[in-house]
Amino acid sequence: MITFDVLTLKAWLKEQEEFLTGSRISKIQQPTRREFIFALRNNGETRQFYVNINPQFYHCCFVTKQTYADRLLEIPTQPPMFCMLLRKYLESSKIARVNQPENERILEFFIETYNEVGDVIELCLAFEFMGKYSNVILYNTDTDIILGCAHNVGTEKSREREIYGSLPYVYPPKQLKSDIYNYCGEFDYKTASDDFYMISKSFANLCQNCTTNEVKNYLKLENLTPAISRDYKTYSLYSTLLPKLNETLASVNEMIDKYYSHYIAKEKFSVLKTKYSSIVSQKLKKANKALKQIEYKMLTDSKADKYRLYGDLLMANLYNLKDYSNSVNVYDYENNKYIDIELDNLKTIKDNANNFYKLYNKAKTAKVKLTELYEDYHSKKVYFEQLLYSINFAESIEDLFEISDEIEENKPDKSKNKKSQISEIKRFEPDEQTTIYVGKNNKQNDYIISKIANENDLWFHVKDNAGSHVLLKTNTVTDDLILRCAQLAKEYSSVKNSSKIGIIYTKRKYIRKPPAANLGYVTYKNEKEIILD
């Protein structure tokens, strides 16, 4: 992606200056440490002014409802300290004028407000869009003293410019560049961003085939045709500078809003996907560890039959053996051989036999409990594998939201109603009488089985692995359709790259969801299997 440069800010301010001047700040919110939303009202219209000072996505624009949602903005119940400071000084105040210092990526709102005694004062809210040094700073224009900032900058972060409350506000050091309007030589796009004001590296790259005069005309910001390339790799104030495949937009603001909301949504999707994968992977790791421990315990505790045999042999030879012995040698009629049995010499033969029976009952009970525990952890393992598959299969942030309550069980959910809805299920229609449904996650799999399927529809699933439920609804079942569904079941599974895999299928009427089973879990019978090679 490209950076928010001086020229883009200048074009945006030129476009929005009329609305900004004289508008009132009706509401201030700070969703995250680096994002701000100002509700500005002017001429009966309210707009959401969005500011981002993240080093990756720094920019400002007016957002729409759609791009607001794309940015996944959630307002915290307890606002940060700097947000409370801005509300104290700026809410209900009027923006008297706006300004962009020459050749700087700084946007200034000069705001008329009142002090504690009711006198009119002027404050400046400066938005600095300068990579990792991006900041939002509030200062008094009479004294130039900083009242507060989004994040403080001390000597350990910057030797040239400290920023925090009670210090005087000063502009960043001037860059040693030239004015391109005073230059008449050849335009070298490789060094232009280092040589001239208002030219960023991204803009210079777009002007590779332009003459110096053409670049000067572009910098005048006349006859703008803002556009974004179809692959979202770049944007430009002039569509002619972009490849042929681009989308021309109605305004500079729309271009900025659409471009950066795309990348913010993409980044937040990636972060959330990684977070969910980590959570489920940890749960899966614990389940696998528990299963190994149970398997080991079951293996070492498999002495129930031996204790029963010892008890039976002692009782069978009760009157042939001496009490209070250290050990006895008896004939094992089950294995046709003599064996030695260690005894407690403080007990009679009968008491030793009863002790072996107690050990037998204890081992048998433990085995039952361990078997139940094993089955419980095995079902959890299967469920977590399915969840992990659903996360990896997710294509959008909505897909992740749909399964978030399964992953973060204790997290308070403000948009529970939204997340509880079933998103659009992937479907294929080979012909007019046939529809194939493919579930993205447990909720969709459950919905396909319980709401969409009829008893004679065919259900497909990859054997012994996590994957999507595939449902075939058709009037005429053919071998080609069965093969197509089997291929889809493999494609939408955790083993899609395997060379040889089994696909099971059966009718819906042979599928059952056990009581209290995990979401999307079913049992089946009368199944057939297809081996895909």
Side-chain angles (χ1 to χ4, degrees), residues 72-98:
L72 303 178
L73 299 172
E74 293 186 5
I75 309 302
T77 53
Q78 182 62 38
M81 291 297 294
F82 183 58
C83 180
M84 295 174 69
L85 178 77
L86 293 179
R87 289 178 180 179
K88 173 185 174 182
Y89 284 103
L90 304 182
E91 273 194 348
S92 302
S93 299
K94 178 182 176 183
I95 300 175
R97 57 193 174 92
V98 292

Side-chain angles (χ1 to χ4, degrees), residues 23-78:
S23 63
R24 288 197 176 273
I25 304 173
S26 59
K27 196 172 186 179
I28 302 173
Q29 295 172 312
Q30 189 177 353
T32 66
R33 193 167 65 90
R34 292 170 170 169
E35 291 176 295
F36 298 83
I37 302 170
F38 299 83
L40 304 183
R41 185 169 181 81
N42 198 0
N43 297 324
E45 180 185 5
T46 301
R47 297 185 192 175
Q48 300 293 324
F49 176 60
Y50 172 82
V51 175
N52 191 314
I53 55 172
N54 186 305
Q56 288 180 280
F57 312 112
Y58 56 91
H59 70 285
C60 67
C61 63
F62 288 106
V63 296
T64 63
K65 287 184 178 180
Q66 180 58 50
T67 54
Y68 184 100
D70 290 342
R71 286 178 166 88
L72 303 178
L73 299 172
E74 293 186 5
I75 309 302
T77 53
Q78 182 62 38

Side-chain angles (χ1 to χ4, degrees), residues 310 327-330 338-342:
Y310 285 180
S327 64
V328 295
N329 184 268
V330 294
Y338 281 93
I339 61 171
D340 290 323
I341 302 176
E342 298 291 330

Side-chain angles (χ1 to χ4, degrees), residues 158-322:
S158 175
R159 296 179 182 177
E160 298 182 355
R161 186 172 178 245
E162 295 180 68
I163 301 172
Y164 51 85
S166 75
L167 282 183
Y169 176 79
V170 293
Y171 286 129
K174 284 287 184 183
Q175 295 177 307
L176 299 177
K177 296 183 180 182
S178 303
D179 189 340
I180 195 171
Y181 291 110
N182 298 325
Y183 178 74
C184 298
E186 290 291 326
F187 180 78
D188 185 355
Y189 74 90
K190 292 182 180 179
T191 61
S193 61
D194 298 322
D195 297 337
F196 303 109
Y197 291 116
M198 294 181 64
I199 297 179
S200 63
K201 287 184 179 180
S202 55
F203 179 71
N205 287 335
L206 293 174
C207 297
Q208 291 185 30
N209 299 318
C210 299
T211 64
T212 304
N213 287 333
E214 286 174 331
V215 173
K216 290 179 180 179
N217 289 331
Y218 285 137
L219 295 178
K220 292 178 183 178
L221 299 177
E222 296 176 354
N223 302 317
L224 297 179
T225 55
I228 301 174
S229 61
R230 290 288 171 88
D231 57 7
Y232 274 84
K233 286 186 177 179
T234 186
Y235 66 76
S236 175
L237 297 170
Y238 301 93
S239 59
T240 53
L241 293 177
L242 293 179
K244 291 183 179 180
L245 292 175
N246 64 72
E247 180 183 0
T248 304
L249 302 168
S251 65
V252 176
N253 183 82
E254 185 183 1
M255 176 190 74
I256 297 170
D257 186 23
K258 196 168 184 179
Y259 181 81
Y260 285 102
S261 65
H262 169 81
Y263 278 98
I264 290 172
K266 189 176 179 180
E267 171 70 12
K268 290 190 175 182
F269 169 69
S270 177
V271 169
L272 190 60
K273 193 171 186 177
T274 302
K275 176 187 174 183
Y276 283 179
S277 293
S278 177
I279 291 172
V280 176
S281 294
Q282 285 297 319
K283 292 180 179 180
L284 181 59
K285 186 178 178 181
K286 288 180 180 178
N288 283 325
K289 184 178 179 181
L291 283 172
K292 287 183 179 179
Q293 290 175 341
I294 294 169
E295 286 173 352
Y296 177 76
K297 188 73 174 172
M298 291 173 73
L299 188 65
T300 56
D301 288 355
S302 58
K303 299 178 181 179
D305 291 336
K306 184 181 73 170
Y307 293 141
R308 176 193 55 78
L309 176 62
Y310 285 180
D312 289 346
L313 293 176
L314 290 178
M315 291 303 292
N317 295 278
L318 184 61
Y319 299 105
N320 298 329
L321 302 174
K322 291 182 180 180

